[in-house]
Amino acid sequence: MKCLDCGFENEEDSRFCERCGTRLEVEGQEKTKEEQIQEIDREIIKQTATEVEKAKKRILRILFSVFGFLLLILLFCNIIYRIWRWLMWHL
């Protein structure tokens, strides 16, 4: 019997996948409401975790961009200040 989640070929009398542990369905066997709800919950949790990871990466990218921009401004101001000091000293 082939697992619908990972594709692993299990023994015919197996109730759970030997590789990923997912419950195997026998053809013609209907899922109970509870099993359907649990499966939907697992999918929602997977999607939520993926979205959270994407959001974290986006936030870090924005923070690093802002930090880099601030460093460039600081560097530019430092250069301008040093030029101004040099001009004041030599004029």
Side-chain angles (χ1 to χ4, degrees), residues 19-86:
R19 181 186 288 165
C20 68
T22 303
R23 185 174 181 162
L24 300 174
E25 294 181 36
V26 178
E27 287 184 27
Q29 178 185 8
E30 294 277 332
K31 289 185 184 179
T32 65
K33 289 268 188 201
E34 185 67 29
E35 290 172 337
Q36 290 173 351
I37 291 171
Q38 288 175 350
E39 186 176 327
I40 291 169
D41 285 346
R42 279 193 298 272
E43 285 299 318
I44 290 172
I45 290 169
K46 277 185 201 176
Q47 280 182 331
T48 304
T50 303
E51 292 300 319
V52 167
E53 288 302 316
K54 287 180 184 178
K56 283 181 184 179
K57 288 179 183 178
R58 235 179 287 134
I59 289 170
L60 281 176
R61 197 171 342 160
I62 290 169
L63 286 175
F64 282 123
S65 298
V66 168
F67 183 69
F69 182 70
L70 290 175
L71 281 176
L72 285 175
I73 289 174
L74 185 62
L75 180 64
F76 180 74
C77 290
N78 189 7
I79 291 169
I80 297 297
Y81 174 72
R82 288 176 184 266
I83 292 171
W84 177 77
R85 272 187 47 201
W86 186 85

